[in-house]
Amino acid sequence: MLNTLKNRFEQGYRTSTYPKKTVELVPRYRGRPQVHKNAPSDLVVKCAAACPQDAIDIDRKLINMGRCVFCGICERISEGRFISFTRDFGYSVAEKDHLLTDGEIPSLADHARQHFKKLFGRSLQLRQVSAAGCNACEADLNVLATPFFDLARFGINFVASPRHSDGIVVTGPISRNMKTALLQTYEAVPDPKVVIAVGSCSISGGPFRGSPEITEGLDSLLPVDLYIPGCPSHPMANLHAFLKFFK
Amino acid sequence: MDTDFLEISNGQALSREQIPHLTFDDFQKNAMKIVWGGGKIVQYFGYADNSIVKLMAVLRTDKLLVAGCDAPDEYPSFSNKCEPFQLFEREIAEQFGIVPKYHPWLKMVRYHPNSQGKKDVFGNDYTEDIPGNYPYYSVEGDEIHEVAVGPVHAGIIEPGHFRFNCIGERVLHLEIQLGYQHRGIENLILKADSKRLPIIIEGIAGDTTVANGVSFAQAVEALTSIQTDQGSRIIRIIGLELERIANHVGDLGALSGDVAFLPPANYCGRMRGDFLNMSLLICGNRMGKGLVRPGGVRFSIDDEISRELMRRINELEPQVEHVIDLIFSTSSVRARFEDCGIVSTSDANHLGLVGPAGRACGLPYDARRTFATEYYPGIDIPENAKTTGDVYARAKMRAEEILQSISIIKSLLKDTIETNCVDSEVFNLPSSSFVVTVNEAWRGELSHCIITDAEGKILRYKIKDPSFHNWNGLAMSLRNTEISDFPLNNKSYNLSYCGFDL
């Protein structure tokens, strides 16, 4: 008993004050990409050629956050003159078109489905479906239940049954072998329901695009309400998106 | 050992002509002799060379041994006489349509058609959903009942199907059927641009990003004779050990939560995040994605980051020690951990368990000791082994490894780490070559193998996750265990679904 109390005292209080006070991430964290439009074209071409995800639109000088895995190669090559990654984790979007960006992300709160705020703003139960996810996005969603993030304080919980949930959070590139299970889980959620795509895999197939075993984009199967890019998306990006979209 | 297999070292590039190409009969005889004599299978796979299907095996004693042969369309199964081959033979049957006759357990592995357009070995029609034609082992009797769980599980966890045959609460047999996570990675690698490879490799299993990245980088470096500097070898080890600590700490918390002792569950959840945040500090990604590339690492650990890492570790170390002490000194935890889900040393040996799961059963093998790479030869890794093979041993093993890894990282941070960072260098692989790499990922032995063709294109990329060996260990743990102890046993292994399914 004494040992239990000693540990409790040593661990202290760890829950963040976010969103009252924002959280500063470390300098090397790569969040929202910022495109610098005045970059010379040859530099843009060079970045596009090196991009492992082919996420750069050369003509329009834009980056597709749905494909991007935030590896930062374009930033290195252009020395930040074409693309630089900011420490801003508030880059999630409600419309697929907004994923293709120059870095100016439309306000998520304004583009959120307003009736969802009314329906789920005070209580939101989500069912997570890993559809061939590599366990990185899953881990960074799971972590929202730990003391620092403490998702439950916002009335948001991950639940065990789709029957008890208001929507699904999908990770992974939706393998052929998980497609039916995913669609059945979606069917089992009562209306009205939310669909959230987390990670570049679920948004675009991510690193696995081109494989016949996967689906390139959850939106080809289900109507997606919220896109949270990343590989994986940082837990703060997830938390930010949930709060802006539903609160 | 007198054998026709060739002795090689870890990460040694060979031209394919150097590898003994035996007749199938000699290949089989030699392979089984080595395994009967205590050898283990590191890799055993098929590959198509100009439409001729061939087999390649890498076995280990205290050395690595390699040989290949042409694959017959069908052959009398090795598994019939030598069980450790069973899953490898099923994989070859699924990927290349080669039939191992009299195989005692010839079931599909991941549920996909074979690459050669041959008749399906399992009689599956792949327009149908998984699991297709999959006869589950079933126990018969009036009081027997089956419990089917998954693929979608009750938590935030990857998909897989578990079929329990029970009498009352007691599990007689658990069959684990995977494949839901199959993304076709090995085939995708063959057609993807080389600039995509590191990203695909890091997506094999996100919780094992660094180990997969290192295994890939070592293979490419060996083939192209690229030298890495000492600083990058040290940073890779720091990355690997942070990955090990984060996963072990998280699992100890989950284990504690499963026996309803909640304080450590919360503490470990938070501390796991603190270790992931150290990877974030180094490379900007909590999972270590983007850290390792052929030629070295993409991010340095300068003095400022080194000091910050040391500060965080010094702050966390006593907390970790105290929480571990709290878990293992609590009698209600010990009462649930001890004697739960026992795998005997002999069973573990037959199944070829690796990593902490194997060490918990008395198999001390640790690739960091036996096939040391990177900076590991300069580090003294203790020989870890418990003998009880229960949840307690697996948990205790993990706890000890956490503390060992912390001291490894601290010792590496003492001196300035100098490295020239690389980025995504373009590499051209040599023609007709072969390399196999072996590393100790946090779950155990991880191995990558590359074979190139006459033009230097990748002909075969084979990945073997430690979970490929260990899923059967979990099934064995459940025998005669109460079904309510499944979550506890499952977390004591915490195996990879995507690493297995590829």
Side-chain angles (χ1 to χ4, degrees), chain A residues 200-231:
Chain A
S200 69
C201 285
S202 69
I203 298 174
S204 70
F208 309 107
R209 74 202 148 80
S211 168
E213 296 286 339
I214 62 125
T215 310
E216 294 187 6
L218 176 64
D219 65 316
S220 67
L221 299 174
L222 296 173
V224 178
D225 299 297
L226 174 58
Y227 297 86
I228 309 180
C231 185

mmCIF file of all heavy atoms in Angstrom, chain A residues 200-231:
data_model
loop_
_atom_site.group_PDB
_atom_site.id
_atom_site.type_symbol
_atom_site.label_atom_id
_atom_site.label_comp_id
_atom_site.label_asym_id
_atom_site.label_seq_id
_atom_site.Cartn_x
_atom_site.Cartn_y
_atom_site.Cartn_z
ATOM 1 N N SER A 200 -2.063 8.612 -43.753
ATOM 2 C CA SER A 200 -2.023 8.675 -45.216
ATOM 3 C C SER A 200 -2.496 7.363 -45.847
ATOM 4 O O SER A 200 -3.019 7.373 -46.960
ATOM 5 C CB SER A 200 -0.610 9.018 -45.693
ATOM 6 O OG SER A 200 0.264 7.952 -45.448
ATOM 7 N N CYS A 201 -2.359 6.239 -45.150
ATOM 8 C CA CYS A 201 -2.812 4.960 -45.710
ATOM 9 C C CYS A 201 -4.311 4.965 -45.977
ATOM 10 O O CYS A 201 -4.770 4.605 -47.051
ATOM 11 C CB CYS A 201 -2.498 3.803 -44.765
ATOM 12 S SG CYS A 201 -0.782 3.330 -44.752
ATOM 13 N N SER A 202 -5.088 5.390 -44.976
ATOM 14 C CA SER A 202 -6.540 5.321 -45.153
ATOM 15 C C SER A 202 -7.009 6.408 -46.115
ATOM 16 O O SER A 202 -8.006 6.258 -46.798
ATOM 17 C CB SER A 202 -7.265 5.439 -43.808
ATOM 18 O OG SER A 202 -7.122 6.734 -43.283
ATOM 19 N N ILE A 203 -6.257 7.510 -46.205
ATOM 20 C CA ILE A 203 -6.671 8.600 -47.086
ATOM 21 C C ILE A 203 -6.345 8.286 -48.551
ATOM 22 O O ILE A 203 -7.148 8.533 -49.440
ATOM 23 C CB ILE A 203 -6.011 9.931 -46.655
ATOM 24 C CG1 ILE A 203 -6.464 10.300 -45.225
ATOM 25 C CG2 ILE A 203 -6.371 11.056 -47.627
ATOM 26 C CD1 ILE A 203 -5.759 11.516 -44.636
ATOM 27 N N SER A 204 -5.162 7.700 -48.783
ATOM 28 C CA SER A 204 -4.731 7.532 -50.180
ATOM 29 C C SER A 204 -4.063 6.193 -50.498
ATOM 30 O O SER A 204 -3.625 5.978 -51.614
ATOM 31 C CB SER A 204 -3.718 8.643 -50.504
ATOM 32 O OG SER A 204 -2.508 8.404 -49.797
ATOM 33 N N GLY A 205 -3.975 5.304 -49.531
ATOM 34 C CA GLY A 205 -3.189 4.074 -49.728
ATOM 35 C C GLY A 205 -1.782 4.240 -49.171
ATOM 36 O O GLY A 205 -1.082 3.272 -48.960
ATOM 37 N N GLY A 206 -1.387 5.503 -48.971
ATOM 38 C CA GLY A 206 -0.104 5.813 -48.327
ATOM 39 C C GLY A 206 1.066 5.121 -48.999
ATOM 40 O O GLY A 206 1.150 5.084 -50.229
ATOM 41 N N PRO A 207 1.980 4.559 -48.195
ATOM 42 C CA PRO A 207 3.155 3.901 -48.758
ATOM 43 C C PRO A 207 2.803 2.723 -49.669
ATOM 44 O O PRO A 207 3.633 2.278 -50.447
ATOM 45 C CB PRO A 207 3.902 3.390 -47.520
ATOM 46 C CG PRO A 207 3.415 4.228 -46.393
ATOM 47 C CD PRO A 207 2.007 4.607 -46.731
ATOM 48 N N PHE A 208 1.582 2.220 -49.563
ATOM 49 C CA PHE A 208 1.242 0.965 -50.251
ATOM 50 C C PHE A 208 0.473 1.172 -51.547
ATOM 51 O O PHE A 208 -0.017 0.220 -52.142
ATOM 52 C CB PHE A 208 0.469 0.047 -49.298
ATOM 53 C CG PHE A 208 1.178 -0.121 -48.001
ATOM 54 C CD1 PHE A 208 0.707 0.488 -46.848
ATOM 55 C CD2 PHE A 208 2.367 -0.822 -47.941
ATOM 56 C CE1 PHE A 208 1.390 0.379 -45.654
ATOM 57 C CE2 PHE A 208 3.067 -0.937 -46.749
ATOM 58 C CZ PHE A 208 2.581 -0.341 -45.603
ATOM 59 N N ARG A 209 0.360 2.450 -51.999
ATOM 60 C CA ARG A 209 -0.389 2.710 -53.229
ATOM 61 C C ARG A 209 0.240 1.913 -54.362
ATOM 62 O O ARG A 209 1.462 1.737 -54.413
ATOM 63 C CB ARG A 209 -0.403 4.211 -53.525
ATOM 64 C CG ARG A 209 0.870 4.767 -54.025
ATOM 65 C CD ARG A 209 0.964 6.263 -53.792
ATOM 66 N NE ARG A 209 2.348 6.633 -53.578
ATOM 67 C CZ ARG A 209 3.225 6.804 -54.575
ATOM 68 N NH1 ARG A 209 2.838 6.689 -55.826
ATOM 69 N NH2 ARG A 209 4.473 7.106 -54.313
ATOM 70 N N GLY A 210 -0.626 1.401 -55.233
ATOM 71 C CA GLY A 210 -0.135 0.592 -56.352
ATOM 72 C C GLY A 210 -0.200 -0.893 -56.074
ATOM 73 O O GLY A 210 -0.089 -1.694 -56.999
ATOM 74 N N SER A 211 -0.401 -1.280 -54.822
ATOM 75 C CA SER A 211 -0.534 -2.708 -54.533
ATOM 76 C C SER A 211 -1.969 -3.147 -54.826
ATOM 77 O O SER A 211 -2.915 -2.480 -54.413
ATOM 78 C CB SER A 211 -0.203 -3.000 -53.070
ATOM 79 O OG SER A 211 -0.607 -4.327 -52.762
ATOM 80 N N PRO A 212 -2.133 -4.257 -55.550
ATOM 81 C CA PRO A 212 -3.496 -4.719 -55.842
ATOM 82 C C PRO A 212 -4.237 -5.219 -54.606
ATOM 83 O O PRO A 212 -5.436 -5.472 -54.665
ATOM 84 C CB PRO A 212 -3.263 -5.865 -56.840
ATOM 85 C CG PRO A 212 -1.861 -6.314 -56.597
ATOM 86 C CD PRO A 212 -1.098 -5.109 -56.135
ATOM 87 N N GLU A 213 -3.519 -5.350 -53.487
ATOM 88 C CA GLU A 213 -4.147 -5.901 -52.285
ATOM 89 C C GLU A 213 -4.846 -4.831 -51.437
ATOM 90 O O GLU A 213 -5.435 -5.150 -50.409
ATOM 91 C CB GLU A 213 -3.095 -6.600 -51.412
ATOM 92 C CG GLU A 213 -2.459 -7.817 -52.066
ATOM 93 C CD GLU A 213 -3.392 -9.016 -52.108
ATOM 94 O OE1 GLU A 213 -4.345 -9.064 -51.316
ATOM 95 O OE2 GLU A 213 -3.164 -9.894 -52.957
ATOM 96 N N ILE A 214 -4.739 -3.543 -51.825
ATOM 97 C CA ILE A 214 -5.288 -2.494 -50.967
ATOM 98 C C ILE A 214 -6.248 -1.565 -51.723
ATOM 99 O O ILE A 214 -6.404 -1.668 -52.934
ATOM 100 C CB ILE A 214 -4.165 -1.645 -50.329
ATOM 101 C CG1 ILE A 214 -3.337 -0.930 -51.412
ATOM 102 C CG2 ILE A 214 -3.246 -2.504 -49.474
ATOM 103 C CD1 ILE A 214 -3.245 0.542 -51.236
ATOM 104 N N THR A 215 -6.877 -0.658 -50.986
ATOM 105 C CA THR A 215 -7.808 0.318 -51.544
ATOM 106 C C THR A 215 -7.144 1.692 -51.458
ATOM 107 O O THR A 215 -6.654 2.062 -50.396
ATOM 108 C CB THR A 215 -9.090 0.362 -50.680
ATOM 109 O OG1 THR A 215 -9.544 -0.972 -50.509
ATOM 110 C CG2 THR A 215 -10.164 1.208 -51.337
ATOM 111 N N GLU A 216 -7.132 2.447 -52.546
ATOM 112 C CA GLU A 216 -6.462 3.749 -52.495
ATOM 113 C C GLU A 216 -7.459 4.838 -52.123
ATOM 114 O O GLU A 216 -7.946 5.571 -52.960
ATOM 115 C CB GLU A 216 -5.759 4.036 -53.818
ATOM 116 C CG GLU A 216 -4.619 3.065 -54.038
ATOM 117 C CD GLU A 216 -3.759 3.379 -55.239
ATOM 118 O OE1 GLU A 216 -3.971 4.427 -55.872
ATOM 119 O OE2 GLU A 216 -2.883 2.558 -55.545
ATOM 120 N N GLY A 217 -7.766 4.904 -50.859
ATOM 121 C CA GLY A 217 -8.665 5.959 -50.405
ATOM 122 C C GLY A 217 -9.962 5.415 -49.826
ATOM 123 O O GLY A 217 -10.771 4.822 -50.527
ATOM 124 N N LEU A 218 -10.162 5.657 -48.544
ATOM 125 C CA LEU A 218 -11.377 5.236 -47.855
ATOM 126 C C LEU A 218 -12.607 5.876 -48.492
ATOM 127 O O LEU A 218 -13.683 5.286 -48.526
ATOM 128 C CB LEU A 218 -11.275 5.639 -46.373
ATOM 129 C CG LEU A 218 -12.483 5.379 -45.488
ATOM 130 C CD1 LEU A 218 -12.766 3.885 -45.378
ATOM 131 C CD2 LEU A 218 -12.272 5.966 -44.091
ATOM 132 N N ASP A 219 -12.439 7.092 -49.047
ATOM 133 C CA ASP A 219 -13.593 7.807 -49.607
ATOM 134 C C ASP A 219 -14.181 7.099 -50.828
ATOM 135 O O ASP A 219 -15.285 7.414 -51.243
ATOM 136 C CB ASP A 219 -13.226 9.255 -49.922
ATOM 137 C CG ASP A 219 -12.188 9.344 -51.018
ATOM 138 O OD1 ASP A 219 -11.218 8.559 -50.964
ATOM 139 O OD2 ASP A 219 -12.354 10.167 -51.934
ATOM 140 N N SER A 220 -13.434 6.148 -51.413
ATOM 141 C CA SER A 220 -14.021 5.388 -52.517
ATOM 142 C C SER A 220 -14.998 4.330 -52.007
ATOM 143 O O SER A 220 -15.744 3.743 -52.776
ATOM 144 C CB SER A 220 -12.912 4.735 -53.356
ATOM 145 O OG SER A 220 -12.248 3.745 -52.597
ATOM 146 N N LEU A 221 -14.982 4.083 -50.700
ATOM 147 C CA LEU A 221 -15.882 3.078 -50.122
ATOM 148 C C LEU A 221 -16.973 3.703 -49.257
ATOM 149 O O LEU A 221 -18.110 3.236 -49.248
ATOM 150 C CB LEU A 221 -15.096 2.101 -49.230
ATOM 151 C CG LEU A 221 -13.992 1.273 -49.873
ATOM 152 C CD1 LEU A 221 -13.248 0.489 -48.799
ATOM 153 C CD2 LEU A 221 -14.586 0.320 -50.887
ATOM 154 N N LEU A 222 -16.614 4.740 -48.516
ATOM 155 C CA LEU A 222 -17.530 5.332 -47.537
ATOM 156 C C LEU A 222 -17.435 6.860 -47.604
ATOM 157 O O LEU A 222 -16.406 7.399 -47.993
ATOM 158 C CB LEU A 222 -17.140 4.879 -46.118
ATOM 159 C CG LEU A 222 -17.239 3.389 -45.794
ATOM 160 C CD1 LEU A 222 -16.650 3.116 -44.419
ATOM 161 C CD2 LEU A 222 -18.667 2.898 -45.860
ATOM 162 N N PRO A 223 -18.497 7.566 -47.199
ATOM 163 C CA PRO A 223 -18.417 9.029 -47.165
ATOM 164 C C PRO A 223 -17.579 9.481 -45.965
ATOM 165 O O PRO A 223 -17.953 9.249 -44.822
ATOM 166 C CB PRO A 223 -19.882 9.449 -46.976
ATOM 167 C CG PRO A 223 -20.546 8.276 -46.337
ATOM 168 C CD PRO A 223 -19.808 7.047 -46.750
ATOM 169 N N VAL A 224 -16.430 10.108 -46.243
ATOM 170 C CA VAL A 224 -15.514 10.494 -45.167
ATOM 171 C C VAL A 224 -15.817 11.928 -44.717
ATOM 172 O O VAL A 224 -15.962 12.827 -45.542
ATOM 173 C CB VAL A 224 -14.043 10.387 -45.627
ATOM 174 C CG1 VAL A 224 -13.090 10.830 -44.520
ATOM 175 C CG2 VAL A 224 -13.731 8.960 -46.049
ATOM 176 N N ASP A 225 -15.937 12.133 -43.408
ATOM 177 C CA ASP A 225 -16.253 13.459 -42.874
ATOM 178 C C ASP A 225 -15.024 14.228 -42.432
ATOM 179 O O ASP A 225 -15.020 15.449 -42.438
ATOM 180 C CB ASP A 225 -17.192 13.314 -41.666
ATOM 181 C CG ASP A 225 -18.493 12.646 -42.062
ATOM 182 O OD1 ASP A 225 -19.215 13.228 -42.874
ATOM 183 O OD2 ASP A 225 -18.770 11.527 -41.572
ATOM 184 N N LEU A 226 -13.990 13.504 -42.003
ATOM 185 C CA LEU A 226 -12.823 14.180 -41.436
ATOM 186 C C LEU A 226 -11.551 13.436 -41.846
ATOM 187 O O LEU A 226 -11.478 12.211 -41.718
ATOM 188 C CB LEU A 226 -12.970 14.205 -39.904
ATOM 189 C CG LEU A 226 -11.816 14.739 -39.063
ATOM 190 C CD1 LEU A 226 -11.457 16.169 -39.437
ATOM 191 C CD2 LEU A 226 -12.162 14.661 -37.571
ATOM 192 N N TYR A 227 -10.588 14.190 -42.367
ATOM 193 C CA TYR A 227 -9.312 13.614 -42.801
ATOM 194 C C TYR A 227 -8.206 14.100 -41.875
ATOM 195 O O TYR A 227 -8.000 15.305 -41.727
ATOM 196 C CB TYR A 227 -8.966 14.068 -44.216
ATOM 197 C CG TYR A 227 -9.950 13.631 -45.287
ATOM 198 C CD1 TYR A 227 -11.080 14.394 -45.565
ATOM 199 C CD2 TYR A 227 -9.736 12.475 -46.037
ATOM 200 C CE1 TYR A 227 -11.977 14.010 -46.565
ATOM 201 C CE2 TYR A 227 -10.618 12.082 -47.028
ATOM 202 C CZ TYR A 227 -11.738 12.858 -47.285
ATOM 203 O OH TYR A 227 -12.605 12.477 -48.271
ATOM 204 N N ILE A 228 -7.495 13.170 -41.259
ATOM 205 C CA ILE A 228 -6.359 13.535 -40.404
ATOM 206 C C ILE A 228 -5.094 12.943 -41.021
ATOM 207 O O ILE A 228 -4.800 11.768 -40.847
ATOM 208 C CB ILE A 228 -6.548 13.022 -38.957
ATOM 209 C CG1 ILE A 228 -7.926 13.435 -38.411
ATOM 210 C CG2 ILE A 228 -5.420 13.536 -38.062
ATOM 211 C CD1 ILE A 228 -8.206 12.972 -36.988
ATOM 212 N N PRO A 229 -4.320 13.766 -41.770
ATOM 213 C CA PRO A 229 -3.128 13.232 -42.444
ATOM 214 C C PRO A 229 -2.000 12.919 -41.462
ATOM 215 O O PRO A 229 -2.037 13.326 -40.300
ATOM 216 C CB PRO A 229 -2.709 14.363 -43.390
ATOM 217 C CG PRO A 229 -3.859 15.318 -43.432
ATOM 218 C CD PRO A 229 -4.556 15.177 -42.113
ATOM 219 N N GLY A 230 -0.981 12.210 -41.958
ATOM 220 C CA GLY A 230 0.193 11.898 -41.131
ATOM 221 C C GLY A 230 0.637 10.470 -41.335
ATOM 222 O O GLY A 230 -0.095 9.666 -41.905
ATOM 223 N N CYS A 231 1.848 10.170 -40.876
ATOM 224 C CA CYS A 231 2.360 8.799 -40.996
ATOM 225 C C CYS A 231 3.261 8.496 -39.811
ATOM 226 O O CYS A 231 4.457 8.473 -39.956
ATOM 227 C CB CYS A 231 3.101 8.590 -42.312
ATOM 228 S SG CYS A 231 3.629 6.880 -42.564
#
